[in-house]
Amino acid sequence: MTFDGDGTRVVHAGLPDPVPGAPFLPGPVFAAPYHLDPVAGQVVNGYGRPDNPTRRALEAAIGELEGGRTLAFASGQAAITATLLATVRAGDTVALPSDGYYAVRAFAAGALRDLGVNTVLVPTAGPYPSFEGMRLVLLETPANPGLDVCDIRALSAAAHAAGALVAVDNTTPTPLGQRPLELGADLVVASGTKALTGHSDVLLGYLATNDEDLLARLTAWRAQTGGIPGAFDSWLAHRSLATLDLRLARQSANAAVVAELLAGRPDVRHVRFPGLPADPSYPVAAAQMRRIPGIIGFDLGSAERVGRFLSASELVFAATSFGGLHTTADRRAQWGDDTAPGFVRLSCGIEDAADLVADLTAALDAA
Ligand SMILES: *Cc1c(COP(=O)(O)O)cnc(C)c1O
């Protein structure tokens, strides 16, 4: 039988067939070299950089969820920069989101520009330029931190008609929220550091594709440049994946309640949550996404007021990153994001909604 419930899929993703006496998820295999067959040489595993069984199991699991062959990397940035460097050449042009993850823009303005690669920055909500003459279009939807969304299917069709490749940063939704390969993208790139693993204890990245040529190029790229995750991090990530459906369900439900609370307060401005029917992202998100991430954007007017809000809250941790079990909030302007000084990205955790509402209400009142 094929089981397609999300909860079932994440619990079983990438697990080996049952073997009596063996664990459900085998523990991490720590090895740089492995024993070789003295005569035949490499029969199974040879060396840890190209090849590790713990990492392979994690890649199989993520691959089942994304619907594509998957390579794991040491971080999201390692996966994204690998994708850019392995696909573009001097003289090429890439389109990147102007409102997406800031370190990708910084990489384009530094290393990519030095290599002779041109970058066109495009807001996720559009308008999009002609993709004629572009090598690669990177989309990020919902964009972090502004939460605008774009139509992956329509933009992939337009990019392909112009001969460009399309990669989608799927960090914020995770493969349970959105499957870009099914919507026409050539590649998924993502950070597994956020909701995918969700316990704020692992840095991880991955890419997924069904294009054999791209996969071969990127597999060679990773083996040659070496940005792999270690066995323990790979195992932690695989173990955490089993609760992804439960975690996202609670985060998303909490965010829906909190977004209503924030939208109803006169002292909170510009509330963004793609699950609110009044949100500009709502129509495309409702059509394209399988669930809405637990992330909310809003503006408290000044850095000082954000500071008072975070000091007064007992449940919201001041922290960058997002998608974890604990509710966290980040004033993005402190990192150089092009956001208002009082803009907050709130990531709802898996606490009880009533407690979050009580705590946020008291903290906003105090601020
Ligand atoms: C965090 C993040 C990245 C980078 O991932 P790391 O694991 O921190 O390297 C890339 N894209 C998005 C959308 C992110 O949120």
Side-chain angles (χ1 to χ4, degrees), residues 25-359:
L25 175 66
V29 174
F30 298 112
Y34 308 80
H35 288 295
L36 297 178
D37 183 296
V39 178
Q42 178 174 338
V43 178
V44 195
N45 307 310
Y47 186 60
R49 177 154 35 78
D51 211 8
N52 174 284
T54 310
R55 198 174 75 212
R56 276 205 306 274
L58 171 68
E59 291 170 342
I62 298 173
E64 284 178 32
L65 303 178
E66 287 285 5
R69 302 274 299 282
T70 295
L71 296 173
F73 285 79
S75 67
Q77 274 300 105
I80 294 167
T81 55
T83 297
L84 287 165
L85 289 170
T87 54
V88 300
R89 302 282 173 276
D92 283 351
T93 299
V94 296
L96 301 179
S98 62
D99 50 350
Y101 191 64
Y102 71 105
V104 176
R105 286 196 302 282
F107 177 74
L112 278 190
R113 194 206 48 194
D114 292 349
L115 290 171
V117 175
N118 308 307
T119 300
V120 176
L121 294 177
V122 188
T124 297
Y128 281 80
S130 158
F131 297 128
E132 218 54 57
M134 290 192 186
R135 175 73 62 194
L136 176 76
V137 177
L138 175 69
L139 307 173
E140 186 182 311
T141 179
N144 168 23
L147 301 177
D148 278 328
V149 306
C150 61
D151 185 334
I152 296 172
R153 197 185 289 282
L155 290 168
S156 296
H160 290 158
L165 289 168
V166 176
V168 176
D169 186 327
N170 210 29
T171 301
T172 302
T174 83
L176 293 195
Q178 175 172 282
R179 290 207 283 267
L181 297 178
E182 287 178 3
L183 298 170
D186 302 287
L187 280 152
V188 166
V189 293
S191 171
T193 311
K194 317 292 173 45
L196 187 80
T197 60
H199 290 64
S200 305
D201 53 10
V202 170
L203 279 140
L204 184 81
Y206 70 89
L207 59 83
T209 183
N210 285 311
D211 181 318
E212 290 298 328
D213 173 55
L214 279 175
L215 182 73
R217 238 186 304 163
L218 286 156
T219 303
W221 177 273
R222 188 186 60 173
Q224 289 162 9
T225 56
I228 51 159
F232 188 63
D233 284 358
S234 298
W235 179 83
L236 267 181
H238 198 163
R239 192 190 66 157
S240 302
L241 211 52
T243 55
L244 181 61
D245 173 61
L246 292 174
R247 289 185 280 110
L248 291 179
R250 179 66 81 94
Q251 289 169 339
S252 189
N254 280 350
V257 172
V258 170
E260 290 284 356
L261 166 78
L262 296 173
R265 287 190 64 114
D267 56 348
V268 179
R269 289 182 302 155
H270 306 305
V271 176
R272 291 298 309 268
F273 177 62
L276 282 177
D279 193 277
S281 295
Y282 181 82
V284 179
Q288 169 167 286
M289 301 186 68
R290 304 172 71 244
R291 50 176 101 193
I292 303 297
I295 316 296
I296 302 168
F298 58 93
D299 193 342
L300 291 184
S302 70
E304 293 69 31
R305 189 143 181 269
V306 175
R308 291 199 297 275
F309 162 69
L310 291 174
S311 304
S313 167
E314 293 178 50
L315 295 181
V316 182
F317 294 159
T320 192
S321 195
F322 59 92
L325 306 173
H326 316 84
T327 295
T328 59
D330 196 17
R331 195 178 69 80
R332 288 305 302 168
Q334 74 186 297
W335 306 106
D337 258 0
D338 185 18
T339 52
F343 172 83
V344 175
R345 181 185 63 204
L346 181 77
S347 173
C348 291
I350 62 164
E351 301 91 344
D352 291 284
D355 290 337
L356 281 180
V357 166
D359 180 66

